Amino acid sequence: MHYNVQIFTWSPRRGVHQVGSAIAIDAPNAKAAAVSLLGLRLEDTGDSSKLAVRVWRGEDAEKVDCDCFFYH
């Protein structure tokens, strides 16, 4: 399936901001798209790093449901 991925980071001083532009990637599911893009672990528990991704299918990012993942 075709997914779009946006990478975000945050800091107390700058807040949340997007890193680069959205990237198109083919993957079997949203989590695989997030993992294959950077090769970093995604976990459900523990402290997250200051890096996250938003993953969605479809052309219009404003009108689709998305998944968000935090890297650890």
Side-chain angles (χ1 to χ4, degrees), residues 26-58:
D26 290 323
N29 58 50
K31 188 170 185 176
V35 170
S36 66
L37 185 62
L38 296 177
L40 299 173
R41 290 184 344 205
L42 293 172
E43 306 247 349
D44 295 330
T45 60
D47 293 335
S48 65
S49 66
K50 292 186 169 142
L51 189 64
V53 292
R54 177 178 174 237
V55 182
W56 75 93
R57 288 179 43 209

Side-chain angles (χ1 to χ4, degrees), residues 2 4 6 22 54-66:
H2 183 77
N4 295 295
Q6 286 178 311
R54 177 178 174 237
V55 182
W56 75 93
R57 288 179 43 209
E59 296 302 318
D60 191 350
E62 301 296 321
K63 296 182 179 178
V64 296
D65 291 331
C66 66

Side-chain angles (χ1 to χ4, degrees), residues 5-39:
V5 180
Q6 286 178 311
I7 302 171
F8 293 90
T9 189
W10 62 89
S11 67
R13 180 175 281 177
R14 294 186 66 200
V16 176
H17 60 277
Q18 184 176 338
V19 178
S21 58
I23 300 165
I25 190 167
D26 290 323
N29 58 50
K31 188 170 185 176
V35 170
S36 66
L37 185 62
L38 296 177

